């Protein structure tokens, strides 16, 4: 009987040992060999980026020329003042504009520069005296009676990052009046809540925005600019354009100035037999052909098939088409919604590019002279394309009061403060893009547990989060240049992480197939172990009960 | 997409603002001299169509569009395109391509019955590229280039990878201007599986300056072009000398398209043909951008009596040339000549045979080849190539290039080359063995072909087992082996005088000709279709089930053995039989067992 008991105990121990091996060795081994590698991600940082509280700080210095302020107030200089304005776009997005204004009186050299005869000269001279930092603005206040500004002009906004204003004369607090005026100038030269809201258009419901906000191209690291000459009728027109000179003369300086914002490449092509998608209507009164604004949406699509995308890069393409209408359809004019002819004979399509119709003068219906040689007047063409280019980049003018005088941007086609305006909006847009990209990436990875997260993807995500945070901090401390750089880096890293091909491996591995593979092995192995465990438990219970019975 | 036309007033206002600045610029003297007198056209276009009746009675139509651009594409900043397509120009300047040859072909050129082709291409897709010596990572550039070409031509060129790319040492020399012939800059790949169709033709046509709206390209109607026995379209880009002194380089883009119409089937048994019958179009004008636009009709006949066939309308001129060792006569229609369209508004070239030609003139070409796979079973096999030299008295060497995928394991020791029953030792062999899943076999040989002989090359192979994910979706169809390539300088039967290559039609100017006594020929053999041992694809699951069952059975008995408790059986009252016996015994009054 004792031998029997010993045998029973041995059987029990063996079953328990099996169960233990399966639990201690088998389960972890199975778990380890079938798990997908998922590097840890900064989920906290990503969700913190989800709510964007922008604080945009503009350093402004207001410099008073001699005699601009009454003596009593002159003595209060220099002093600093900070104004903050917060606006809430939605529960997760808010913008705080913060103007750190320092008031001081002019130095001797500044005084000398302000004493020159013409305001343009003063602007150039003052440029040398300012430290060249992106986003920082200087406003010079000159006495009411100063001859520097022409009659009737209250404020002059220069080519660079400075403006000159007359000191308002009035009974009240002069400094308060000055600061109100400075506020107006600074908003025109840096950003307004509206321009920032437009940059955040993806996060804001559509009805809060105007139609213009969808016009500019989305922020990107580079753009391909393609000029295409469409000649649908090469039998009648032998069109030549000196695009190389035009690009190097007019477009390149503008792009050099924008080089900080993105990379650009410019190319051009001539397409023959490329016709517009709609046939124009003949107008008897003017004996010309009319393309009405309503039909413009149908013009581009058939042409676009011929344009060809850039084969060698992934940047968005800006298309500028110069269309020389066929002989039988010329002259061709574009009409706006009211039925009036558009002066430039051009139109643009948001986030796509622009089209200009270039009519050819036909001297006489003399067939023998065909094809007619046409040399395109590139100045006329380029001024339209440059204006469209500025619009497509979102460099548009702000409505200003009458007494403001804007200096023309010069041969660069872009002033320093316009560049700043662009940088403010682009930085904000970049950070918003990074936030959206990372949030959706985190959601995706959270939702699909099968996706492998490699270390390099994780490090890109970390870098993107860190750069976006840096960009936010730099914006708050008023360093526009470094903020923009950081936001650009954040975009690069986040895109790289989001589009990493390794994320696509093994996306589809359904559970039913997993069961089908596991069951033939696991079921026959698990059943005996479980049954003997149940048996052992039952016996243990009985042996516990038995002693109480006998006692 | 919805297009919103912008507020034009704003554009106009800004335009004036910019205008002021630009005006100022002009006064200062605009950089680059805007509005100066333009130089001579830096690019030119020539279009040609050659119609040649083939010995078998079919008719081959070969289009060639030559765009020439006097520009240094590799120089930084050249990005203004006119006749040269922008997509290809960008490709060449970005990847530093020296020469690019791409062909997409449906069907097989039957050299025996159709004669020597002007420019043959293997069935499927073929791509070979010479890179500049400044390219550091040729493989990377090759990979990216083929991916982009795949996008441009809507072809599966993205399937080109290291398993089907080779670097031939002797077969493919640069056709253009080249001072570097280091073959490490060359990459060559063939995709024999590729099927060519309309979606490949459309992007090819889009590269033409006149698109398919004017000139000879009007004839390129997809539904007719693909209703043929052979369709091959190609793009050749190479640098050429700008002028005779050859001090500067121009770029040449040749777009060629060859189709072979089966005249018997489209012409109800007659051999007469016309442009309209073949293309269902006629030519009405030349492409206005072309500086040359010509249609050539091959009216040469082997016999002396020239009056076998009649072409209408009568040609304006006749051109005689020696092409591929043969004297040929061409009727030439110059579309740019004003005389041509004087009579009728459209040109419909027609050819009539004066009397029915019963005995087809089937003279076999000097060099032709054929290839087949032999053997039985799914383990081993043999590839045999037959090369024919029908020249009556001249022997000449030929370079043979074989590219065999890694899953056919070639045994080089079984390579046998026999001519007229004797062993023929190749004078040059370059063999690069395959590496599994990495690169294919490459075998290049220079073989001397004696006059009037057949040379047989055989090599044995073993079929490899693939991993189950490596099989194509239709594995029982078989696996393609790309055609072998024969390159040779074939001696001509007739003595040729060296001519101005630029003048003669089509391809004579593409290949370099050494002298008048021989001409260059590149031939492709048939692609092979080889069956590999193909498993049942539910196999992995079956294997999992079987192994699991075996493991479970072993484990079960093992488990039973270890955990079962053994104890001595008490003698019981016995089984049913014993009890039954006892009952019977009781009845009988006998003591129980």
């Amino acid at each position: 009987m004792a031998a029997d008991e010993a045998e029973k105990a041995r059987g029990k121990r063996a079953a328990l040992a099996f169960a233990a091996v399966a639990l201690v060795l088998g389960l972890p081994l199975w778990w380890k060999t079938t798990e997908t590698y998922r590097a840890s991600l900064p989920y906290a940082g990503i969700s913190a980026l989800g709510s964007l509280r922008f604080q945009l700080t503009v350093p402004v210095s207001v410099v008073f020329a001699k005699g601009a302020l009454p003596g009593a107030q002159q003595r209060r200089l220099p002093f600093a003042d900070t104004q903050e304005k917060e606006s809430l776009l939605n529960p997760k997005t808010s913008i705080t504009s913060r103007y750190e204004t320092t008031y001081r009186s002019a130095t001797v050299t500044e005084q000398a520069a302000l004493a020159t005869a013409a305001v343009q000269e003063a602007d150039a001279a003052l440029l040398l005296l300012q430290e060249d930092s992106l986003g920082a603005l200087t406003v010079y206040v000159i006495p009411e009676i100063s001859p520097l500004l022409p009659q009737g002009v209250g404020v002059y906004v220069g080519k660079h990052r400075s403006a000159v204003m007359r000191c308002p004369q009035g009974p009240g607090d002069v400094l308060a009046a000055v600061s109100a005026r400075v506020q107006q100038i600074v908003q025109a030269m840096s950003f307004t809540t509206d321009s920032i809201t437009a940059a955040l258009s993806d996060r804001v419901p559509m009805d809060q925005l105007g139609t213009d906000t969808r016009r500019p191209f989305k922020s990107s690291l580079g753009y391909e600019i393609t000029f295409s000459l469409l000649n649908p009728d090469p039998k009648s027109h032998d069109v030549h354009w000196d695009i190389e000179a035009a690009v190097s003369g007019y477009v390149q300086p503008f792009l050099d100035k924008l080089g900080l914002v993105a990379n650009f490449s410019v190319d051009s092509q001539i397409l023959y037999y490329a016709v517009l998608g709609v046939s124009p209507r003949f107008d008897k009164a003017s004996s010309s052909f009319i393309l009405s604004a309503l039909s413009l949406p149908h013009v581009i699509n058939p042409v676009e098939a011929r344009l060809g995308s850039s084969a060698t890069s992934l940047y968005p393409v800006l298309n500028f088409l110069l269309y020389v209408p066929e002989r039988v359809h010329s002259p061709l004019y574009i009409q706006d919604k009211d039925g009036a002819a558009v002066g430039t004979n051009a139109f643009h399509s948001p986030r796509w590019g622009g089209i200009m119709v270039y009519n050819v003068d036909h001297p006489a219906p003399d067939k023998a002279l065909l094809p007619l040689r046409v040399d395109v007047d590139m100045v006329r063409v380029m001024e339209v394309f440059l204006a469209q280019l500025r619009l497509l980049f979102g460099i548009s003018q702000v409505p200003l009061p009458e007494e403001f005088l804007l200096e023309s941007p010069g041969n660069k086609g872009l002033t320093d403060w316009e560049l700043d305006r662009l940088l403010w909006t682009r930085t904000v847009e970049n950070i918003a893009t990074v936030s959206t990209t990372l949030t959706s990436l985190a959601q995706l990875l959270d939702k699909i547990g099968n996706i492998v997260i490699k270390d390099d993807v994780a490090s890109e995500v970390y870098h993107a989060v860190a750069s976006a945070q840096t960009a936010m901090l730099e914006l708050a401390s008023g360093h526009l240049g470094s903020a923009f750089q950081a936001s650009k880096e954040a975009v690069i890293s986040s895109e790289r992480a989001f589009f990493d091909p390794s994320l696509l491996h093994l996306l589809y591995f359904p559970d039913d197939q997993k069961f089908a593979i596991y069951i033939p092995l696991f079921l026959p192995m698990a059943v005996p172990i479980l049954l003997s465990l149940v048996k052992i438990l039952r016996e243990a219970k009985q042996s516990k009960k038995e002693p109480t019975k006998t006692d | 997409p919805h297009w919103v036309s912008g507020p034009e007033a704003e554009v106009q206002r800004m335009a004036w603002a910019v205008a002021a600045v630009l005006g100022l610029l002009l006064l200062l003297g605009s950089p680059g001299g805007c509005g100066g007198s333009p130089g001579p056209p830096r690019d030119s276009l020539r279009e040609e169509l050659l119609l040649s009746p083939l010995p078998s009675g079919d008719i081959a139509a070969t289009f060639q569009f030559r765009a020439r651009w006097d520009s240094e594409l590799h120089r930084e900043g050249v990005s203004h395109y006119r006749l040269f397509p922008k997509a290809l120009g960008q490709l060449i300047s970005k990847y530093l391509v020296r020469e690019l040859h791409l062909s997409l072909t449906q069907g097989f050129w039957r050299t025996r019955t159709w004669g020597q082709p002007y420019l043959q291409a293997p069935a499927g897709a073929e791509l070979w590229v010479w890179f500049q010596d400044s390219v550091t990572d040729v493989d990377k550039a090759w990979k990216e280039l083929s991916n982009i070409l795949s996008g441009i031509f809507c072809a599966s060129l993205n399937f080109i990878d290291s398993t089907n790319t080779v670097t031939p040492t002797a077969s493919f020399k640069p056709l253009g201007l080249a001072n570097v012939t280091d073959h490490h800059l060359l990459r060559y790949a063939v995709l024999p599986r590729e099927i060519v169709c309309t979606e490949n033709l459309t992007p090819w046509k889009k590269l033409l300056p006149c698109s398919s709206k004017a000139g000879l390209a009007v004839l390129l109607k997809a539904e007719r072009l693909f209703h043929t026995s052979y369709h091959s379209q190609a793009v050749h880009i190479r640098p050429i000398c700008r002028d005779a002194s050859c001090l500067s380089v121009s770029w040449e883009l040749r777009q060629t398209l060859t189709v072979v119409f089966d005249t018997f089937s489209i012409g109800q048994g007659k051999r007469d043909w016309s442009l309209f019958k073949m293309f269902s179009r006629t030519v009405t004008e030349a492409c206005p951008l072309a500086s040359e636009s010509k249609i050539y009709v091959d009216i040469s006949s082997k016999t002396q009596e020239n009056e076998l066939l009649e072409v209408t309308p009568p040609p304006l001129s006749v051109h005689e040339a020696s092409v591929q060792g043969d004297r040929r006569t061409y009727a030439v229609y110059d579309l740019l000549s004003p005389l041509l369209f004087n009579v009728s508004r459209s040109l419909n070239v027609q050819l009539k045979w004066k009397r029915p030609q019963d005995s087809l003139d089937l003279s076999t070409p000097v060099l032709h080849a054929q290839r087949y796979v032999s053997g039985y079973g799914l383990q081993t096999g043999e590839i045999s190539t037959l090369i024919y030299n029908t020249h009556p008295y001249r022997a000449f060497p030929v370079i043979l290039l074989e590219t065999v995928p890694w899953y056919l394991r070639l045994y080089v020791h079984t390579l046998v080359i026999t001519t007229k029953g004797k062993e023929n030792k190749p004078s040059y062999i370059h063999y690069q063995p395959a590496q599994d899943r990495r690169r294919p076999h490459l075998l290049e040989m220079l073989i001397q072909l004696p006059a009037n002989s057949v040379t047989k090359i055989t090599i044995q192979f073993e079929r490899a087992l693939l991993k189950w994910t490596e099989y194509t979706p239709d594995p029982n169809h078989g696996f393609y082996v790309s055609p072998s390539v024969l390159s040779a300088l074939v001696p001509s039967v007739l003595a040729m005088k060296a001519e101005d290559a630029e003048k003669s039609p089509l391809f004579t100017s593409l290949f370099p000709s050494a002298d008048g006594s021989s001409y260059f020929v590149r031939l492709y053999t048939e692609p092979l279709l080889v069956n590999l041992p193909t498993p049942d694809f539910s196999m992995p699951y079956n294997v999992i089930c079987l192994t699991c069952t075996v493991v479970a059975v072993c484990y079960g008995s093992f488990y039973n053995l270890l955990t079962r408790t053994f104890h001595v059986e008490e003698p019981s009252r016995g089984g049913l039989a014993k009890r039954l016996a006892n009952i019977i015994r009781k009845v009988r009054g006998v003591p129980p067992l």
Side-chain angles (χ1 to χ4, degrees):
Chain A
M1 218 52 203
D4 213 26
E5 276 301 308
E7 179 67 19
K8 254 189 182 165
R10 187 199 60 78
K12 254 188 222 170
R13 278 202 301 276
L16 281 174
F18 264 100
V21 166
L23 264 175
V24 175
L25 222 76
L27 265 183
L29 194 73
W30 170 62
W31 191 254
K32 200 77 205 155
T33 46
T34 57
E35 113 189 305
T36 46
Y37 181 76
R38 287 167 76 87
S40 74
L41 290 183
Y43 289 107
I46 294 172
S47 60
L49 269 183
S51 63
L52 293 172
R53 311 256 169 247
F54 287 107
Q55 196 184 23
L56 310 176
T57 304
V58 190
V60 184
S61 47
V62 179
V63 180
F64 291 93
K66 203 183 273 174
L69 275 186
Q73 298 193 326
Q74 182 80 36
R75 239 165 285 135
R76 283 177 57 196
L77 298 177
F79 70 99
D81 180 27
T82 304
Q83 286 183 335
E84 268 192 20
K85 201 180 82 187
E86 187 174 354
S87 58
L88 196 69
L89 295 184
N90 63 13
K92 289 189 132 187
T93 318
S94 72
I95 306 165
T96 311
S97 340
R98 188 182 148 95
Y99 301 101
E100 283 181 359
T101 320
T102 54
Y103 295 87
R104 62 177 173 87
S105 42
T107 60
V108 181
T109 43
E110 282 170 338
Q111 194 63 50
L114 285 172
T116 48
V119 71
Q120 281 83 2
E121 282 172 36
D123 190 35
L126 288 170
L127 174 67
L128 305 171
L129 304 176
Q130 296 158 8
E131 40 189 321
D132 192 32
S133 92
L134 293 169
L137 301 171
T138 317
V139 179
Y140 295 95
V141 184
I142 54 169
E144 170 79 45
I145 42 140
S146 168
L148 188 63
L149 291 180
Q151 203 63 42
V153 173
V155 176
Y156 165 84
V157 179
K159 272 203 237 184
H160 309 288
R161 294 185 177 86
S162 62
V164 180
M165 65 174 275
R166 276 187 216 277
C167 188
Q169 221 64 21
D173 187 2
V174 179
L175 274 179
V178 166
S179 103
R181 179 50 74 82
V182 164
Q183 191 79 6
Q184 213 178 358
I185 297 171
V186 166
Q187 287 208 353
M189 291 176 72
S190 59
F191 56 86
T192 54
T193 316
D194 286 346
S195 65
I196 299 295
T197 312
L200 293 169
S201 56
D202 286 350
R203 301 172 68 88
V204 179
M206 254 345 271
D207 50 323
Q208 286 188 19
L209 299 163
T211 49
D212 288 1
T213 54
R214 298 193 54 186
R215 190 191 306 141
F217 262 84
K218 298 291 289 173
S219 175
S220 162
L221 301 172
Y223 298 92
E224 305 269 323
I225 300 175
T226 304
F227 293 98
S228 306
L229 172 64
L230 306 187
N231 182 2
D233 192 6
K235 271 176 88 176
S236 322
H237 300 142
D238 178 20
V239 186
H240 293 263
W241 66 343
D242 192 3
I243 184 71
E244 280 175 51
V247 165
S248 64
Y250 310 130
V251 182
Q252 207 55 52
F254 177 73
L255 297 182
D256 287 345
K257 187 94 187 190
L258 276 178
L260 188 69
V261 181
N263 298 321
F264 293 95
S265 72
V266 185
D267 41 46
S268 79
Q269 59 182 346
I270 303 184
L271 297 176
Y272 299 94
Y273 290 104
V275 285
L276 298 183
V278 286
S279 46
R281 185 168 52 80
F282 185 66
D283 183 45
K284 267 192 182 155
S286 58
S287 75
S288 60
F289 289 84
I290 303 293
L291 214 53
S292 72
L294 289 174
S295 61
L296 292 184
H298 311 291
V299 159
I300 298 171
N301 286 4
V303 177
E304 195 165 25
R306 286 285 305 278
L307 290 179
S309 54
S310 172
T312 46
S313 89
L314 297 171
Y315 294 140
V317 183
L318 281 84
N319 286 294
F320 292 99
L321 312 185
L322 183 67
Y323 183 74
V324 181
E326 301 110 303
R327 192 180 158 81
V328 291
H329 281 161
S330 53
L332 177 67
Y333 296 105
I334 299 174
Q335 257 181 6
D336 62 12
K337 289 191 182 76
D338 308 326
V342 175
T344 51
N345 218 5
F347 67 98
H348 74 271
S349 172
R351 295 184 183 178
W352 186 82
I355 296 188
M356 181 182 178
V357 176
Y358 188 91
N359 284 313
V360 176
D361 298 328
H362 290 278
D366 192 358
K367 282 260 176 191
L369 284 172
L370 291 180
L372 185 72
R373 186 185 163 96
V374 180
D375 279 306
V376 177
D377 176 12
M378 290 313 282
V379 180
R380 215 176 96 200
V381 172
M382 276 302 158
E383 67 195 32
V384 173
F385 282 164
L386 263 188
Q388 287 178 336
L389 191 60
R390 283 169 59 99
L391 274 181
L392 290 170
F393 274 109
I395 313 166
S396 52
Q397 258 112 348
V398 251
L400 289 174
E402 283 282 300
E403 49 179 346
F404 275 55
L405 175 72
L406 292 189
E407 181 61 48
S408 83
N411 59 355
K412 294 272 167 67
L414 189 71
T415 59
D416 285 345
W417 58 268
E418 280 176 324
L419 181 67
D420 285 357
R421 275 182 74 89
L422 192 63
L423 286 179
W424 284 113
T425 53
R426 286 290 151 117
T427 310
V428 169
E429 193 185 336
N430 282 347
I431 296 173
T433 311
V434 170
S435 149
T436 320
T437 311
L438 290 181
T439 312
S440 41
L441 179 67
Q443 273 174 0
L444 180 82
L445 294 179
D446 195 43
K447 212 169 165 185
I448 307 174
N450 278 333
I451 299 183
V452 177
I453 308 174
K454 283 189 174 173
D455 282 336
D456 51 342
V457 175
S459 76
E460 291 290 354
V461 173
Y462 272 102
H463 186 234
V465 171
S467 304
Q469 282 164 348
T470 319
M472 295 283 273
L473 288 177
E474 294 287 340
L475 275 183
S477 53
H479 302 135
L480 181 58
S482 45
F484 179 73
Q485 283 307 333
S487 75
K488 213 162 144 179
E489 274 174 39
V491 169
I492 297 175
S493 295
S494 67
E495 300 279 305
R496 215 179 278 159
F498 192 83
F499 291 110
D500 196 280
S502 72
L503 293 181
L504 284 176
H505 296 161
L506 265 189
L507 260 183
Y508 181 71
F509 204 40
D511 283 339
D512 48 344
Q513 290 195 6
K514 259 189 231 170
F515 278 116
I517 287 170
Y518 285 144
I519 279 181
L521 181 65
F522 281 14
L523 205 65
M525 292 190 102
V527 165
I529 294 183
L530 288 179
L531 283 181
S532 42
L533 281 182
V534 167
K535 199 176 151 200
I536 289 168
L537 274 180
R538 203 181 287 146
E539 277 177 16
K541 253 186 202 166
Q542 258 172 12
S543 62
K544 244 185 201 170
K545 276 182 197 164
E546 266 169 22
T548 48
K549 260 187 198 170
T550 47
D551 279 336
Chain B
H2 47 265
W3 303 101
V4 192
S5 89
E8 294 317 319
E10 194 172 347
V11 178
Q12 201 179 350
R13 203 183 65 227
M14 295 183 58
W16 299 133
V18 179
V21 183
L22 294 183
L24 201 111
L25 258 179
L26 267 197
L27 283 181
L28 296 174
S30 65
C34 177
S37 67
R42 282 169 42 214
D43 43 8
S44 62
L45 175 76
R46 294 164 69 184
E47 46 176 17
E48 286 156 295
L49 165 63
L50 170 63
L51 298 162
S52 40
L54 299 175
S56 68
D58 298 321
I59 172 145
T62 311
F63 292 86
Q64 178 174 262
F65 302 89
R66 256 190 273 188
R68 197 186 129 133
W69 192 16
D70 294 344
S71 167
E72 275 289 343
L73 262 175
H74 292 301
R75 209 188 62 212
E76 197 65 28
V78 176
S79 51
H80 302 288
Y81 298 90
R82 203 175 82 97
L83 295 177
F84 205 88
K86 181 166 82 95
L88 293 181
Q90 282 182 334
L91 202 69
I92 287 172
S93 53
K94 170 147 189 200
Y95 292 106
L96 298 170
V97 173
R98 173 151 280 280
E99 220 170 87
L100 185 149
H101 302 270
L102 167 72
S103 70
L104 298 165
T105 308
Q106 188 73 23
F108 175 69
W109 182 278
R110 300 175 182 94
T111 313
R112 261 181 87 94
T113 52
W114 290 350
Q116 211 79 264
Y118 290 103
L119 186 64
Q120 198 197 346
E126 182 201 38
L127 175 68
W128 56 286
V129 176
W130 278 91
F131 290 94
Q132 299 273 353
D133 46 1
S134 47
V135 178
T136 44
D137 192 347
V138 179
D139 287 315
K140 186 165 162 275
W142 166 251
K143 182 79 202 155
E144 289 175 12
L145 182 78
S146 53
N147 272 306
I148 288 172
L149 282 173
S150 150
I152 293 178
F153 290 101
C154 290
S156 325
L157 298 171
N158 50 328
F159 284 100
I160 291 178
D161 54 13
S162 68
T163 61
N164 47 29
T165 301
V166 288
T167 302
T169 55
S171 295
F172 289 89
K173 289 290 166 212
L175 295 184
L177 206 60
N179 40 14
V180 184
T181 49
D182 180 5
H183 62 261
H184 291 109
L185 300 169
L186 168 68
R187 290 293 178 274
Y188 173 81
V190 175
L191 299 174
R193 251 183 97 88
E194 180 70 17
I195 289 164
V196 182
C197 203
T198 329
E199 79 264 22
N200 307 112
L201 182 69
T202 311
W204 185 89
K205 279 201 290 196
K206 239 162 65 175
L207 298 176
L208 298 171
C210 276
S211 195
S212 52
K213 303 273 174 52
L216 295 176
V218 170
L219 300 175
L220 301 172
K221 209 175 164 190
E223 60 189 78
R224 305 307 296 232
L225 294 184
F226 289 102
H227 198 74
T228 51
S229 325
Y230 177 78
H231 169 103
S232 172
Q233 60 185 70
V235 169
H236 302 274
I237 303 172
R238 58 171 187 163
I240 53 168
C241 285
R242 190 167 298 180
D243 45 31
S245 60
C246 208
L247 290 172
S248 45
V249 171
S250 295
W251 283 85
E252 185 195 65
L253 163 72
R254 276 176 200 243
Q255 285 181 257
T256 63
L257 186 132
T258 311
V259 280
V260 175
F261 288 96
D262 186 346
T263 43
F264 286 102
S265 68
I266 63 165
Q268 285 98 38
K270 280 192 208 151
R271 292 182 60 200
D272 305 342
W273 54 261
S274 69
L275 278 187
F276 188 78
K277 259 190 204 164
M278 288 191 290
F279 299 103
S280 74
R281 299 270 176 97
T282 53
V283 183
T284 53
E285 56 176 351
C287 171
L289 309 163
S291 56
E292 190 185 305
S293 179
K294 281 179 179 163
I295 298 181
Y296 296 89
V297 183
D298 189 350
I299 52 168
S300 48
S301 66
K302 290 274 187 300
T303 49
Q304 283 305 306
E305 35 187 333
N306 241 354
E307 297 303 303
L308 265 176
L309 31 79
E310 183 194 355
V311 217
T312 46
L316 299 174
S317 62
V318 170
H319 178 82
E320 285 201 18
S322 39
V323 178
Q324 294 183 330
D326 232 345
R327 200 163 296 289
R328 297 285 173 97
T329 319
Y330 297 100
V332 185
Y333 298 89
D334 189 351
L335 299 185
L336 286 177
S337 141
L339 294 171
L340 190 65
F341 293 109
N342 267 359
V343 190
S344 75
R345 287 195 53 218
S346 70
L347 173 69
N348 181 22
V349 181
Q350 284 179 307
L351 187 135
K352 282 200 181 78
W353 295 87
K354 283 198 165 165
R355 53 187 157 84
Q357 212 182 20
D358 298 323
S359 56
L360 284 182
D361 178 25
L362 262 182
S363 67
T364 45
V366 174
L367 174 70
H368 59 106
Q370 85 188 82
R371 191 160 76 137
Y372 53 88
V373 64
S374 54
Y376 55 87
L378 284 176
Q379 200 191 351
T380 55
E382 191 176 66
I383 297 176
S384 313
T385 312
L386 295 172
I387 308 175
Y388 298 85
N389 174 9
T390 61
H391 200 284
Y393 50 84
R394 283 281 296 273
F396 58 89
V398 63
I399 298 176
L400 175 78
L401 169 75
E402 288 264 16
T403 318
V404 179
W406 64 266
Y407 40 80
L408 299 185
R409 299 195 168 119
L410 289 186
Y411 293 132
V412 188
H413 71 274
T414 61
L415 175 71
V416 179
I417 306 168
T418 46
T419 312
K420 292 176 171 169
K422 276 184 292 186
E423 195 194 341
N424 186 344
K425 239 183 140 63
S427 43
Y428 168 77
I429 286 196
H430 171 72
Y431 176 66
Q432 193 184 36
Q435 282 173 354
D436 279 7
R437 297 176 182 87
R438 298 255 310 273
R439 68 170 194 219
H441 300 271
L442 167 71
L443 179 61
E444 264 187 308
M445 290 181 292
L446 183 68
I447 304 167
Q448 188 74 23
L449 304 179
N452 212 353
S453 69
V454 184
T455 305
K456 184 174 185 183
I457 300 154
T458 59
I459 188 163
Q460 290 178 7
F461 63 87
E462 187 188 73
R463 296 162 219 244
L465 276 172
L466 300 186
K467 289 178 182 164
W468 75 296
T469 49
E470 286 169 346
Y471 285 93
T472 49
D474 54 345
N476 289 307
H477 175 74
F479 287 74
Y480 283 96
V481 179
S482 51
S484 41
V485 187
L486 294 165
S487 319
L489 274 176
V490 177
S492 57
V493 184
L494 294 166
M496 293 190 292
K497 56 177 194 291
E499 285 178 63
D500 185 7
E502 272 297 299
K503 286 266 162 52
S504 46
L506 296 178
F507 304 104
T508 38
S509 55
L510 184 58
F511 293 117
S513 64
D515 48 36
S517 65
S518 61
Y519 57 98
F520 182 82
V521 167
R522 179 168 293 146
L523 282 184
Y524 296 87
T525 63
E526 302 89 336
L528 298 178
L529 193 55
V530 179
N531 271 313
L532 288 190
T534 310
D536 166 18
F537 286 100
S538 60
M539 173 188 69
Y541 184 66
N542 295 347
V543 168
I544 290 173
C545 284
L546 182 72
T547 13
C548 289
T549 314
V550 169
V551 167
V553 166
C554 295
Y555 160 84
S557 39
F558 189 60
Y559 187 86
N560 260 346
L561 205 68
L562 286 179
T563 55
R564 184 149 298 172
T565 46
F566 297 96
H567 53 96
V568 184
E569 184 93 355
E570 293 280 309
S572 68
R573 288 200 11 236
L576 188 68
K578 197 174 171 189
R579 267 195 275 173
L580 271 177
N582 281 346
I583 290 168
I584 294 168
R585 278 174 173 246
K586 215 177 180 178
V587 171
R588 280 173 58 201
V590 188
L593 283 172

